[in-house]
Amino acid sequence: MPAAMVPWLIASYLLGAIPTSYLAARFFGGIDLREHGSRNLGATNLYRVLGWRFALPVALFDAAKGFIPVALFAPRASPTQLFGLVCGMMAVLGHAYSAFVRFKGGKGVATAAGVMLALTPLALGASFAVWLVLVVVTGYVSLGSIASAAVFPVAVQLLDPPDQPAILWLDVVVALGIIWLHRANIGRLLKGTENRFGRRAAPSGSS
């Protein structure tokens, strides 16, 4: 790997690692989000705890954390789509395992969506449609996220065929990573104890 690529990979990780949900909950709610709701540092949990007023801008910022490395960082070192995807994966990794909050983080869905918006917008649109339908029909954000991740590589191959085979395999890795990060949600879905969208979490210690 050329040395010129390394700083941009590090920058992608550090941008992705900005713990937006944690910071919003700390500064505006006076709480540690890791101790409330699902204890996940993602926009969905922030919504359950503090509401849309904070969750929506955080979700948009999380998506920007994926879009910026692909659209702005990667082209400074390499014009290839493959390097752009690798920078995006570093941002997702940073979001899921942030060095700033003891390697905790979110599920990476919004950040991955930002990556794919820059690289494969048609496939992202198809995956978003799957997510939206499932969330509306079932009320489970996690189920929508898992299903949209699963169909994403197929949508890429059909709607945004990559110019290098390795890109499709990396898309598969990203999809599997997102599904793996939802493993606790999968367990709750199977048990019927998963939270539905629209239900706010009660503060810790309340009945």
PDB file of all heavy atoms in Angstrom, residues 46-72:
ATOM      1  N   LEU A  46     -30.577   6.913  20.652  1.00  0.00           N
ATOM      2  CA  LEU A  46     -30.691   8.318  21.043  1.00  0.00           C
ATOM      3  C   LEU A  46     -32.130   8.791  20.865  1.00  0.00           C
ATOM      4  O   LEU A  46     -32.659   9.542  21.696  1.00  0.00           O
ATOM      5  CB  LEU A  46     -29.748   9.180  20.201  1.00  0.00           C
ATOM      6  CG  LEU A  46     -29.672  10.652  20.589  1.00  0.00           C
ATOM      7  CD1 LEU A  46     -29.088  10.825  21.983  1.00  0.00           C
ATOM      8  CD2 LEU A  46     -28.848  11.440  19.565  1.00  0.00           C
ATOM      9  N   TYR A  47     -32.784   8.351  19.802  1.00  0.00           N
ATOM     10  CA  TYR A  47     -34.190   8.688  19.593  1.00  0.00           C
ATOM     11  C   TYR A  47     -35.052   8.157  20.731  1.00  0.00           C
ATOM     12  O   TYR A  47     -35.933   8.862  21.250  1.00  0.00           O
ATOM     13  CB  TYR A  47     -34.671   8.134  18.252  1.00  0.00           C
ATOM     14  CG  TYR A  47     -36.182   8.057  18.156  1.00  0.00           C
ATOM     15  CD1 TYR A  47     -36.931   9.220  18.039  1.00  0.00           C
ATOM     16  CD2 TYR A  47     -36.832   6.832  18.233  1.00  0.00           C
ATOM     17  CE1 TYR A  47     -38.323   9.154  17.977  1.00  0.00           C
ATOM     18  CE2 TYR A  47     -38.207   6.763  18.172  1.00  0.00           C
ATOM     19  CZ  TYR A  47     -38.954   7.926  18.042  1.00  0.00           C
ATOM     20  OH  TYR A  47     -40.316   7.862  18.009  1.00  0.00           O
ATOM     21  N   ARG A  48     -34.822   6.909  21.117  1.00  0.00           N
ATOM     22  CA  ARG A  48     -35.629   6.320  22.178  1.00  0.00           C
ATOM     23  C   ARG A  48     -35.458   7.077  23.496  1.00  0.00           C
ATOM     24  O   ARG A  48     -36.388   7.164  24.290  1.00  0.00           O
ATOM     25  CB  ARG A  48     -35.244   4.858  22.380  1.00  0.00           C
ATOM     26  CG  ARG A  48     -35.622   3.943  21.221  1.00  0.00           C
ATOM     27  CD  ARG A  48     -35.520   2.489  21.620  1.00  0.00           C
ATOM     28  NE  ARG A  48     -35.845   1.615  20.498  1.00  0.00           N
ATOM     29  CZ  ARG A  48     -34.956   0.919  19.824  1.00  0.00           C
ATOM     30  NH1 ARG A  48     -33.674   0.999  20.143  1.00  0.00           N
ATOM     31  NH2 ARG A  48     -35.315   0.149  18.820  1.00  0.00           N
ATOM     32  N   VAL A  49     -34.259   7.604  23.723  1.00  0.00           N
ATOM     33  CA  VAL A  49     -33.972   8.246  25.004  1.00  0.00           C
ATOM     34  C   VAL A  49     -34.307   9.737  24.992  1.00  0.00           C
ATOM     35  O   VAL A  49     -34.918  10.253  25.926  1.00  0.00           O
ATOM     36  CB  VAL A  49     -32.494   8.027  25.388  1.00  0.00           C
ATOM     37  CG1 VAL A  49     -32.142   8.784  26.663  1.00  0.00           C
ATOM     38  CG2 VAL A  49     -32.206   6.537  25.563  1.00  0.00           C
ATOM     39  N   LEU A  50     -33.915  10.453  23.923  1.00  0.00           N
ATOM     40  CA  LEU A  50     -34.081  11.909  23.901  1.00  0.00           C
ATOM     41  C   LEU A  50     -35.030  12.418  22.817  1.00  0.00           C
ATOM     42  O   LEU A  50     -35.390  13.592  22.822  1.00  0.00           O
ATOM     43  CB  LEU A  50     -32.714  12.589  23.740  1.00  0.00           C
ATOM     44  CG  LEU A  50     -31.734  12.443  24.907  1.00  0.00           C
ATOM     45  CD1 LEU A  50     -30.446  13.209  24.611  1.00  0.00           C
ATOM     46  CD2 LEU A  50     -32.344  12.911  26.212  1.00  0.00           C
ATOM     47  N   GLY A  51     -35.376  11.572  21.841  1.00  0.00           N
ATOM     48  CA  GLY A  51     -36.331  12.001  20.828  1.00  0.00           C
ATOM     49  C   GLY A  51     -35.700  12.444  19.513  1.00  0.00           C
ATOM     50  O   GLY A  51     -34.478  12.513  19.358  1.00  0.00           O
ATOM     51  N   TRP A  52     -36.577  12.767  18.553  1.00  0.00           N
ATOM     52  CA  TRP A  52     -36.159  13.104  17.187  1.00  0.00           C
ATOM     53  C   TRP A  52     -35.312  14.362  17.114  1.00  0.00           C
ATOM     54  O   TRP A  52     -34.459  14.495  16.242  1.00  0.00           O
ATOM     55  CB  TRP A  52     -37.402  13.307  16.312  1.00  0.00           C
ATOM     56  CG  TRP A  52     -37.907  12.053  15.661  1.00  0.00           C
ATOM     57  CD1 TRP A  52     -39.121  11.459  15.855  1.00  0.00           C
ATOM     58  CD2 TRP A  52     -37.211  11.226  14.734  1.00  0.00           C
ATOM     59  NE1 TRP A  52     -39.223  10.320  15.102  1.00  0.00           N
ATOM     60  CE2 TRP A  52     -38.064  10.152  14.391  1.00  0.00           C
ATOM     61  CE3 TRP A  52     -35.948  11.289  14.155  1.00  0.00           C
ATOM     62  CZ2 TRP A  52     -37.695   9.153  13.515  1.00  0.00           C
ATOM     63  CZ3 TRP A  52     -35.568  10.287  13.269  1.00  0.00           C
ATOM     64  CH2 TRP A  52     -36.453   9.238  12.956  1.00  0.00           C
ATOM     65  N   ARG A  53     -35.558  15.309  18.003  1.00  0.00           N
ATOM     66  CA  ARG A  53     -34.868  16.593  17.918  1.00  0.00           C
ATOM     67  C   ARG A  53     -33.354  16.412  17.947  1.00  0.00           C
ATOM     68  O   ARG A  53     -32.617  17.197  17.351  1.00  0.00           O
ATOM     69  CB  ARG A  53     -35.320  17.483  19.076  1.00  0.00           C
ATOM     70  CG  ARG A  53     -34.816  18.910  19.017  1.00  0.00           C
ATOM     71  CD  ARG A  53     -35.694  19.811  19.870  1.00  0.00           C
ATOM     72  NE  ARG A  53     -35.748  19.383  21.258  1.00  0.00           N
ATOM     73  CZ  ARG A  53     -35.029  19.950  22.236  1.00  0.00           C
ATOM     74  NH1 ARG A  53     -34.239  20.957  21.952  1.00  0.00           N
ATOM     75  NH2 ARG A  53     -35.144  19.538  23.474  1.00  0.00           N
ATOM     76  N   PHE A  54     -32.904  15.379  18.613  1.00  0.00           N
ATOM     77  CA  PHE A  54     -31.476  15.100  18.686  1.00  0.00           C
ATOM     78  C   PHE A  54     -31.072  13.962  17.750  1.00  0.00           C
ATOM     79  O   PHE A  54     -29.982  13.967  17.181  1.00  0.00           O
ATOM     80  CB  PHE A  54     -31.089  14.757  20.126  1.00  0.00           C
ATOM     81  CG  PHE A  54     -31.401  15.857  21.095  1.00  0.00           C
ATOM     82  CD1 PHE A  54     -32.512  15.768  21.917  1.00  0.00           C
ATOM     83  CD2 PHE A  54     -30.611  16.982  21.163  1.00  0.00           C
ATOM     84  CE1 PHE A  54     -32.811  16.781  22.807  1.00  0.00           C
ATOM     85  CE2 PHE A  54     -30.902  18.003  22.053  1.00  0.00           C
ATOM     86  CZ  PHE A  54     -32.007  17.908  22.878  1.00  0.00           C
ATOM     87  N   ALA A  55     -31.954  12.976  17.593  1.00  0.00           N
ATOM     88  CA  ALA A  55     -31.597  11.790  16.818  1.00  0.00           C
ATOM     89  C   ALA A  55     -31.439  12.085  15.333  1.00  0.00           C
ATOM     90  O   ALA A  55     -30.531  11.537  14.679  1.00  0.00           O
ATOM     91  CB  ALA A  55     -32.644  10.700  17.020  1.00  0.00           C
ATOM     92  N   LEU A  56     -32.295  12.938  14.767  1.00  0.00           N
ATOM     93  CA  LEU A  56     -32.222  13.188  13.328  1.00  0.00           C
ATOM     94  C   LEU A  56     -30.918  13.856  12.909  1.00  0.00           C
ATOM     95  O   LEU A  56     -30.240  13.366  11.988  1.00  0.00           O
ATOM     96  CB  LEU A  56     -33.429  14.017  12.877  1.00  0.00           C
ATOM     97  CG  LEU A  56     -33.494  14.312  11.375  1.00  0.00           C
ATOM     98  CD1 LEU A  56     -33.509  13.016  10.579  1.00  0.00           C
ATOM     99  CD2 LEU A  56     -34.740  15.150  11.045  1.00  0.00           C
ATOM    100  N   PRO A  57     -30.489  14.960  13.546  1.00  0.00           N
ATOM    101  CA  PRO A  57     -29.204  15.533  13.146  1.00  0.00           C
ATOM    102  C   PRO A  57     -28.030  14.605  13.387  1.00  0.00           C
ATOM    103  O   PRO A  57     -27.054  14.600  12.619  1.00  0.00           O
ATOM    104  CB  PRO A  57     -29.099  16.822  13.983  1.00  0.00           C
ATOM    105  CG  PRO A  57     -30.109  16.696  15.047  1.00  0.00           C
ATOM    106  CD  PRO A  57     -31.187  15.821  14.524  1.00  0.00           C
ATOM    107  N   VAL A  58     -28.107  13.786  14.444  1.00  0.00           N
ATOM    108  CA  VAL A  58     -27.034  12.829  14.699  1.00  0.00           C
ATOM    109  C   VAL A  58     -26.978  11.783  13.586  1.00  0.00           C
ATOM    110  O   VAL A  58     -25.899  11.421  13.105  1.00  0.00           O
ATOM    111  CB  VAL A  58     -27.229  12.159  16.078  1.00  0.00           C
ATOM    112  CG1 VAL A  58     -26.406  10.880  16.187  1.00  0.00           C
ATOM    113  CG2 VAL A  58     -26.830  13.130  17.179  1.00  0.00           C
ATOM    114  N   ALA A  59     -28.141  11.286  13.147  1.00  0.00           N
ATOM    115  CA  ALA A  59     -28.172  10.305  12.060  1.00  0.00           C
ATOM    116  C   ALA A  59     -27.592  10.890  10.777  1.00  0.00           C
ATOM    117  O   ALA A  59     -26.841  10.213  10.055  1.00  0.00           O
ATOM    118  CB  ALA A  59     -29.605   9.832  11.823  1.00  0.00           C
ATOM    119  N   LEU A  60     -27.909  12.151  10.490  1.00  0.00           N
ATOM    120  CA  LEU A  60     -27.367  12.799   9.293  1.00  0.00           C
ATOM    121  C   LEU A  60     -25.860  12.974   9.401  1.00  0.00           C
ATOM    122  O   LEU A  60     -25.121  12.770   8.425  1.00  0.00           O
ATOM    123  CB  LEU A  60     -28.046  14.152   9.081  1.00  0.00           C
ATOM    124  CG  LEU A  60     -29.538  14.083   8.715  1.00  0.00           C
ATOM    125  CD1 LEU A  60     -30.138  15.487   8.657  1.00  0.00           C
ATOM    126  CD2 LEU A  60     -29.734  13.383   7.379  1.00  0.00           C
ATOM    127  N   PHE A  61     -25.384  13.338  10.592  1.00  0.00           N
ATOM    128  CA  PHE A  61     -23.944  13.476  10.785  1.00  0.00           C
ATOM    129  C   PHE A  61     -23.248  12.125  10.656  1.00  0.00           C
ATOM    130  O   PHE A  61     -22.169  12.019  10.065  1.00  0.00           O
ATOM    131  CB  PHE A  61     -23.646  14.101  12.151  1.00  0.00           C
ATOM    132  CG  PHE A  61     -22.203  14.469  12.335  1.00  0.00           C
ATOM    133  CD1 PHE A  61     -21.740  15.714  11.941  1.00  0.00           C
ATOM    134  CD2 PHE A  61     -21.300  13.571  12.884  1.00  0.00           C
ATOM    135  CE1 PHE A  61     -20.405  16.054  12.087  1.00  0.00           C
ATOM    136  CE2 PHE A  61     -19.966  13.901  13.042  1.00  0.00           C
ATOM    137  CZ  PHE A  61     -19.511  15.152  12.642  1.00  0.00           C
ATOM    138  N   ASP A  62     -23.876  11.081  11.197  1.00  0.00           N
ATOM    139  CA  ASP A  62     -23.300   9.744  11.082  1.00  0.00           C
ATOM    140  C   ASP A  62     -23.196   9.317   9.611  1.00  0.00           C
ATOM    141  O   ASP A  62     -22.224   8.670   9.209  1.00  0.00           O
ATOM    142  CB  ASP A  62     -24.137   8.732  11.859  1.00  0.00           C
ATOM    143  CG  ASP A  62     -23.926   8.828  13.360  1.00  0.00           C
ATOM    144  OD1 ASP A  62     -22.960   9.493  13.783  1.00  0.00           O
ATOM    145  OD2 ASP A  62     -24.733   8.249  14.113  1.00  0.00           O
ATOM    146  N   ALA A  63     -24.201   9.663   8.812  1.00  0.00           N
ATOM    147  CA  ALA A  63     -24.131   9.362   7.380  1.00  0.00           C
ATOM    148  C   ALA A  63     -23.011  10.155   6.715  1.00  0.00           C
ATOM    149  O   ALA A  63     -22.285   9.628   5.857  1.00  0.00           O
ATOM    150  CB  ALA A  63     -25.473   9.673   6.722  1.00  0.00           C
ATOM    151  N   ALA A  64     -22.839  11.398   7.127  1.00  0.00           N
ATOM    152  CA  ALA A  64     -21.761  12.224   6.567  1.00  0.00           C
ATOM    153  C   ALA A  64     -20.397  11.640   6.907  1.00  0.00           C
ATOM    154  O   ALA A  64     -19.448  11.765   6.119  1.00  0.00           O
ATOM    155  CB  ALA A  64     -21.875  13.655   7.089  1.00  0.00           C
ATOM    156  N   LYS A  65     -20.289  10.987   8.051  1.00  0.00           N
ATOM    157  CA  LYS A  65     -19.028  10.358   8.436  1.00  0.00           C
ATOM    158  C   LYS A  65     -18.638   9.258   7.448  1.00  0.00           C
ATOM    159  O   LYS A  65     -17.457   8.936   7.318  1.00  0.00           O
ATOM    160  CB  LYS A  65     -19.131   9.770   9.847  1.00  0.00           C
ATOM    161  CG  LYS A  65     -19.278  10.815  10.946  1.00  0.00           C
ATOM    162  CD  LYS A  65     -19.051  10.230  12.342  1.00  0.00           C
ATOM    163  CE  LYS A  65     -19.933   9.071  12.664  1.00  0.00           C
ATOM    164  NZ  LYS A  65     -19.762   8.616  14.076  1.00  0.00           N
ATOM    165  N   GLY A  66     -19.611   8.662   6.787  1.00  0.00           N
ATOM    166  CA  GLY A  66     -19.308   7.671   5.765  1.00  0.00           C
ATOM    167  C   GLY A  66     -19.116   8.278   4.393  1.00  0.00           C
ATOM    168  O   GLY A  66     -18.287   7.821   3.602  1.00  0.00           O
ATOM    169  N   PHE A  67     -19.876   9.341   4.107  1.00  0.00           N
ATOM    170  CA  PHE A  67     -19.813   9.961   2.783  1.00  0.00           C
ATOM    171  C   PHE A  67     -18.498  10.710   2.559  1.00  0.00           C
ATOM    172  O   PHE A  67     -17.873  10.605   1.488  1.00  0.00           O
ATOM    173  CB  PHE A  67     -20.987  10.929   2.627  1.00  0.00           C
ATOM    174  CG  PHE A  67     -21.079  11.577   1.280  1.00  0.00           C
ATOM    175  CD1 PHE A  67     -21.750  10.958   0.238  1.00  0.00           C
ATOM    176  CD2 PHE A  67     -20.492  12.812   1.039  1.00  0.00           C
ATOM    177  CE1 PHE A  67     -21.842  11.546  -1.006  1.00  0.00           C
ATOM    178  CE2 PHE A  67     -20.572  13.412  -0.203  1.00  0.00           C
ATOM    179  CZ  PHE A  67     -21.247  12.781  -1.227  1.00  0.00           C
ATOM    180  N   ILE A  68     -18.052  11.456   3.549  1.00  0.00           N
ATOM    181  CA  ILE A  68     -16.872  12.318   3.396  1.00  0.00           C
ATOM    182  C   ILE A  68     -15.594  11.533   3.084  1.00  0.00           C
ATOM    183  O   ILE A  68     -14.838  11.930   2.186  1.00  0.00           O
ATOM    184  CB  ILE A  68     -16.703  13.200   4.647  1.00  0.00           C
ATOM    185  CG1 ILE A  68     -17.823  14.247   4.691  1.00  0.00           C
ATOM    186  CG2 ILE A  68     -15.341  13.890   4.660  1.00  0.00           C
ATOM    187  CD1 ILE A  68     -17.876  15.043   5.978  1.00  0.00           C
ATOM    188  N   PRO A  69     -15.290  10.422   3.774  1.00  0.00           N
ATOM    189  CA  PRO A  69     -14.074   9.690   3.412  1.00  0.00           C
ATOM    190  C   PRO A  69     -14.049   9.212   1.966  1.00  0.00           C
ATOM    191  O   PRO A  69     -13.000   9.227   1.321  1.00  0.00           O
ATOM    192  CB  PRO A  69     -14.090   8.504   4.385  1.00  0.00           C
ATOM    193  CG  PRO A  69     -14.822   9.010   5.564  1.00  0.00           C
ATOM    194  CD  PRO A  69     -15.921   9.875   4.990  1.00  0.00           C
ATOM    195  N   VAL A  70     -15.219   8.805   1.461  1.00  0.00           N
ATOM    196  CA  VAL A  70     -15.285   8.314   0.081  1.00  0.00           C
ATOM    197  C   VAL A  70     -15.178   9.463  -0.916  1.00  0.00           C
ATOM    198  O   VAL A  70     -14.424   9.386  -1.892  1.00  0.00           O
ATOM    199  CB  VAL A  70     -16.594   7.541  -0.151  1.00  0.00           C
ATOM    200  CG1 VAL A  70     -16.691   7.069  -1.607  1.00  0.00           C
ATOM    201  CG2 VAL A  70     -16.689   6.361   0.794  1.00  0.00           C
ATOM    202  N   ALA A  71     -15.931  10.522  -0.674  1.00  0.00           N
ATOM    203  CA  ALA A  71     -16.023  11.615  -1.646  1.00  0.00           C
ATOM    204  C   ALA A  71     -14.878  12.606  -1.562  1.00  0.00           C
ATOM    205  O   ALA A  71     -14.496  13.195  -2.590  1.00  0.00           O
ATOM    206  CB  ALA A  71     -17.350  12.354  -1.452  1.00  0.00           C
ATOM    207  N   LEU A  72     -14.304  12.776  -0.363  1.00  0.00           N
ATOM    208  CA  LEU A  72     -13.288  13.815  -0.195  1.00  0.00           C
ATOM    209  C   LEU A  72     -11.898  13.295   0.167  1.00  0.00           C
ATOM    210  O   LEU A  72     -10.892  13.806  -0.335  1.00  0.00           O
ATOM    211  CB  LEU A  72     -13.746  14.807   0.890  1.00  0.00           C
ATOM    212  CG  LEU A  72     -15.048  15.557   0.613  1.00  0.00           C
ATOM    213  CD1 LEU A  72     -15.360  16.520   1.750  1.00  0.00           C
ATOM    214  CD2 LEU A  72     -14.977  16.315  -0.712  1.00  0.00           C
TER     215      LEU A  72
END
